[in-house]
């Protein structure tokens, strides 16, 4: 019996000593760079780099309207290969709502987007600029601890011509 207790004690001490600190996720802690995809307005490739425990830089390459037909206001000069792509960069402040096997955070940020158009008929310019304010939810998991699922809406002030747009996307990132 004495030998059984000593063996159990040694095994328990070894298990406690070998265990590492448990976190709900490694996203933003041990893994700081995430790459993924987003579906919405626009659909495209996305990334996020954590610069501190509560701040990150978010970026994306978006594609819109591929294969859509587009005509000018009079119905003339139709372009069946109209397309648009964009590049955005946002600075985010992120805070925790729920911590556990699933961690839920919310974020708010400020940034910009440059739009490039593949048709001369949509606007007077081949590009547009926009100031964005993304707001969203981010969900990270204990297992797998490298995955982030997010939803975001971003009111955007577009400058050429001046108007307000509302962008939104659902996406996933894998962290390295």
């Amino acid at each position: 019996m004495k030998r059984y207790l000593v063996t159990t004690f040694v095994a328990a001490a070894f298990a406690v000593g070998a265990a590492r600190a448990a976190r709900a996720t490694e996203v933003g802690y041990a893994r700081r760079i995430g790459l993924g995809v987003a579906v919405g307005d626009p659909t495209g490739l996305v990334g996020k780099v954590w610069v501190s425990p509560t701040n990150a830089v978010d970026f994306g390459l978006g594609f819109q309207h591929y294969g859509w037909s587009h005509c000018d206001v009079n119905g003339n000069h139709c372009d069946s290969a109209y397309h648009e792509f964009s590049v955005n960069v946002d600075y985010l402040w992120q805070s925790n709502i729920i911590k556990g096997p699933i961690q839920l955070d919310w974020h708010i940020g400020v940034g910009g987007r440059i739009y490039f158009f593949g048709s001369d008929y949509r606007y007077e310019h081949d590009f547009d600029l926009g100031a964005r304010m993304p707001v969203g939810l981010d969900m990270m998991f204990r297992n797998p601890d490298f995955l982030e699922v997010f939803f975001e809406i971003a009111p955007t002030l577009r400058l050429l011509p001046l108007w307000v747009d509302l962008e939104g996307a659902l996406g996933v990132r894998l962290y390295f």
Side-chain angles (χ1 to χ4, degrees), residues 23-95:
R23 288 191 187 123
T25 179
E26 289 189 4
V27 171
Y29 300 100
R31 300 173 189 259
R32 295 192 160 296
I33 300 172
L35 298 173
V37 296
V39 177
D41 183 17
T43 296
L45 305 174
V46 293
K48 189 174 183 180
V49 177
W50 288 87
V51 295
S52 77
T54 58
N55 301 96
V57 176
D58 172 275
F59 55 91
L61 177 62
F63 304 94
Q64 294 175 277
H65 310 299
Y66 276 80
W68 288 23
S69 292
H70 184 272
C71 300
D72 69 5
V73 292
N74 299 323
N76 302 323
H77 307 293
C78 292
D79 180 9
S80 61
Y82 171 74
H83 58 277
E84 170 183 326
F85 75 93
S86 63
V87 177
N88 74 284
V89 177
D90 305 310
Y91 188 82
L92 304 178
W93 293 269
Q94 192 157 324
S95 182

